[in-house]
């Protein structure tokens, strides 16, 4: 009775038997890390970490963002602006501005500066997670013996295209956001000079000191480098898919075996 039930199970669920048979002990393929696709994923991972960490770590540099008013002898002659990631309106603060030492209460505009920075950082984090996951998949699963390799390769290619497009959008957004952030700091310091220090407009404009924005520029360099690496990796990911005409990728032997078996089955039916 048990034997008959086993035969019925095999006949009704052959895919489950094939799954249990083919999984077996997981094959380990560390050599995939030395192939172009695996190596590019490692570089993508490192560059993504640099890009989003530099962006998230950028903040006001001491008292570099300040405004001085030489024409004012009654109130404080200077005030400094501090800020930090994600550069929302609540993240900007003036250190002082009034005779009693209280902070300048300039009403900051609700200009959306944080969206572009958060988008850029989020894409960097997603890239890190995606690369780690695909590196593990390439090491343990992407072998010709694994029957799901073809579908993983197709999913990897589609996912890589999506990540490339969104990373381009993130870089464009943060490029615009960096310029807006620099201009926003300058305008708020000028406003503080006129409102808190009671500086004439011309004097407030001349006394504005804005910090160097080299750090966001460096993060953008790594960001656009990440885009370039994503585009380069698309070719090597595409070579693993069954859509590649030459079938010259690492999984080509798997596809050839399936084609040969299909032709053999067709030839047997004709005979």
């Amino acid at each position: 009775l048990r034997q008959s039930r086993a035969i019925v199970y095999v006949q009704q669920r052959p895919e489950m038997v094939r799954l249990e048979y083919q999984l077996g002990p997981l094959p380990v393929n560390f050599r995939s890390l030395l192939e172009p696709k695996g190596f590019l994923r490692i570089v993508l991972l490192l560059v993504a970490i640099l890009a989003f960490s530099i962006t998230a770590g950028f903040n006001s540099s001491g008292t570099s963002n300040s405004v001085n008013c030489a024409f004012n002898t009654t109130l404080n002659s200077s005030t400094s602006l501090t800020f930090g990631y994600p550069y929302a309106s609540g993240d900007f603060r003036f250190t002082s501005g009034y005779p009693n030492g209280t902070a300048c209460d300039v009403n900051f505009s609700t200009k959306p500066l944080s969206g572009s920075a958060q988008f850029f950082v989020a894409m960097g984090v997603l890239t890190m997670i995606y690369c780690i996951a695909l590196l593990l998949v390439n090491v343990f699963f992407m072998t010709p013996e694994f029957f799901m390799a073809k579908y993983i390769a197709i999913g990897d290619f589609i996912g890589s295209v999506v990540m490339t497009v969104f990373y381009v959008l993130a870089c464009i957004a943060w490029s615009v956001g960096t310029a807006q952030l620099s201009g926003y700091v300058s305008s708020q310091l000028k406003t503080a000079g006129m409102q808190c220090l009671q500086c004439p407009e011309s004097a407030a404009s001349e006394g504005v000191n804005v910090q160097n924005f080299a750090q966001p520029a460096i993060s953008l360099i790594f960001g656009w480098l990440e885009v370039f690496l994503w585009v380069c990796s698309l070719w090597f990911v595409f070579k693993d898919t069954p859509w590649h005409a030459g079938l010259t990728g690492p999984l080509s032997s798997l596809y050839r075996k399936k084609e040969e078996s299909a032709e053999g089955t067709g030839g047997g039916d004709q005979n």
Side-chain angles (χ1 to χ4, degrees), residues 49-120:
I49 293 174
L50 288 173
F52 78 77
S53 61
I54 291 175
T55 301
F58 177 65
N59 51 31
S60 55
S61 177
T63 58
S64 298
N65 301 302
S66 62
V67 56
N68 304 305
C69 185
F71 295 90
N72 190 337
T73 58
T74 304
L75 301 178
N76 292 341
S77 59
S78 67
T79 184
S80 299
L81 177 64
T82 61
F83 62 87
Y85 178 82
Y87 321 119
S89 58
D91 296 320
F92 291 84
R93 293 285 188 276
F94 281 104
T95 56
S96 62
Y98 291 102
N100 58 6
T102 58
C104 181
D105 58 353
V106 172
N107 293 324
F108 291 98
S109 67
T110 57
K111 190 174 183 179
L113 294 172
S114 60
S116 58
Q118 290 176 321
F119 184 26
F120 187 79

Side-chain angles (χ1 to χ4, degrees), residues 31-48:
R31 188 174 180 179
S32 63
L33 301 178
L34 302 178
E35 296 174 355
K37 184 177 72 172
F39 180 75
L40 279 173
R41 286 281 160 77
I42 296 175
V43 178
L44 277 167
L45 172 64
L46 298 177
V47 174

Side-chain angles (χ1 to χ4, degrees), residues 4 9 44-45 101-102 106 134-135 152 159 171 178 183 215 217 235 240 269:
S4 62
Y9 177 78
L44 277 167
L45 172 64
T102 58
V106 172
L134 266 296
L135 285 172
I152 294 176
C171 287
T178 299
Q215 189 170 332
W235 167 246
D240 282 349
D269 294 340

Side-chain angles (χ1 to χ4, degrees), residues 27-262:
V28 180
N29 182 22
F30 288 108
R31 188 174 180 179
S32 63
L33 301 178
L34 302 178
E35 296 174 355
K37 184 177 72 172
F39 180 75
L40 279 173
R41 286 281 160 77
I42 296 175
V43 178
L44 277 167
L45 172 64
L46 298 177
V47 174
I49 293 174
L50 288 173
F52 78 77
S53 61
I54 291 175
T55 301
F58 177 65
N59 51 31
S60 55
S61 177
T63 58
S64 298
N65 301 302
S66 62
V67 56
N68 304 305
C69 185
F71 295 90
N72 190 337
T73 58
T74 304
L75 301 178
N76 292 341
S77 59
S78 67
T79 184
S80 299
L81 177 64
T82 61
F83 62 87
Y85 178 82
Y87 321 119
S89 58
D91 296 320
F92 291 84
R93 293 285 188 276
F94 281 104
T95 56
S96 62
Y98 291 102
N100 58 6
T102 58
C104 181
D105 58 353
V106 172
N107 293 324
F108 291 98
S109 67
T110 57
K111 190 174 183 179
L113 294 172
S114 60
S116 58
Q118 290 176 321
F119 184 26
F120 187 79
V121 171
M123 286 307 304
V125 174
L126 287 176
T127 297
M128 179 186 68
I129 297 173
Y130 186 87
C131 289
I132 292 175
L134 266 296
L135 285 172
L136 294 175
V137 168
N138 287 335
V139 170
F140 292 105
F141 296 101
M142 289 297 284
T143 61
E145 292 78 13
F146 188 61
F147 77 103
M148 289 291 292
K150 178 180 71 173
Y151 305 103
I152 294 176
I154 294 174
D156 185 12
F157 178 71
I158 296 174
S160 297
V161 172
V162 173
M163 292 293 293
T164 302
V165 172
F166 275 92
Y167 216 106
V168 170
L169 296 177
C171 287
I172 294 174
W174 181 226
S175 298
V176 176
T178 299
Q180 290 179 338
L181 180 61
S182 176
Y184 182 77
V185 170
S186 178
S187 65
Q188 292 301 319
L189 286 171
K190 180 180 176 181
T191 301
M194 291 186 293
Q195 292 186 8
C196 300
L197 307 181
Q198 299 180 353
C199 230
E201 183 175 357
S202 59
S205 300
E206 294 176 359
V208 170
N209 298 312
V210 181
Q211 73 179 89
N212 192 333
F213 277 72
Q215 189 170 332
I218 294 174
S219 70
L220 281 171
I221 292 175
F222 283 116
W224 287 111
L225 175 61
E226 186 82 359
V227 170
F228 175 75
L229 293 173
W230 270 118
V231 174
C232 293
S233 68
L234 289 178
W235 167 246
F236 297 103
V237 177
F238 178 71
K239 286 179 67 177
D240 282 349
T241 65
W243 303 326
H244 186 226
L247 294 177
T248 58
L251 300 177
S252 58
S253 59
L254 173 63
Y255 305 142
R256 290 197 194 98
K257 289 178 182 178
K258 290 191 174 183
E259 289 181 354
E260 292 172 358
S261 62

